[in-house]
Amino acid sequence: MSEPNYTTGPSEPFGAPTGYPQQPYPPQPQYQPGPAPAQYGAAPTPPPSNAGWAVATLICFWPLAFVAFNHLHSIFPKWAAGDYMGAQYASERVKTLGKIAVGVFAGLVALYVIFVIIVIAVAANSADTSTTYYR
């Protein structure tokens, strides 16, 4: 048996056929769009997240923001787990908390405006009745 000669390279050029015919690729299945499979009925769409109301809660009255963001971040996990009513409740709760926060903010602004008007009225009234004596 003779030893191989590694100095001259392979006997056939690189990429030349080695004697095996190339096999054709099997045909790929083509995607045919169709109706979605109905396993247990169509899942409802997820409820709206009402993230805007959660941000409004953070801006207007931040103590309610903790609860609002807690409900906001539980909407999708509940919906993905199949608790559709729980997800809907969390969505509505975020919206309700946002409306409450905006209402509290509007009430506090109204009280502040009334307080400023009273302070200005008292200051104007006391300026008219006060007398100063300079000698």
Side-chain angles (χ1 to χ4, degrees):
M1 202 181 225
S2 68
E3 292 189 32
N5 184 2
Y6 293 112
T7 59
T8 60
S11 60
E12 295 180 0
F14 184 73
T18 59
Y20 298 108
Q22 184 173 356
Q23 299 295 320
Y25 290 111
Q28 298 294 322
Q30 297 294 322
Y31 173 71
Q32 297 294 328
Q39 295 172 347
Y40 301 108
T45 58
S49 66
N50 293 319
W53 283 111
V55 172
T57 305
L58 182 64
I59 293 170
C60 293
F61 192 64
W62 65 266
L64 288 180
F66 295 110
V67 180
F69 275 98
N70 187 24
H71 284 291
L72 174 69
H73 292 300
S74 70
I75 293 172
F76 183 73
K78 286 182 179 183
W79 180 79
D83 185 11
Y84 303 124
M85 295 301 291
Q88 183 65 35
Y89 171 76
S91 174
E92 291 297 322
R93 188 71 179 155
V94 170
K95 190 174 184 179
T96 303
L97 289 170
K99 288 180 180 182
I100 290 171
V102 170
V104 167
F105 179 74
L108 290 175
V109 167
L111 286 175
Y112 177 73
V113 169
I114 291 171
F115 176 74
V116 169
I117 290 172
I118 290 172
V119 167
I120 291 173
V122 168
N125 189 23
S126 66
D128 291 341
T129 59
S130 67
T131 15
T132 57
Y133 296 103
Y134 294 107
R135 292 189 189 211

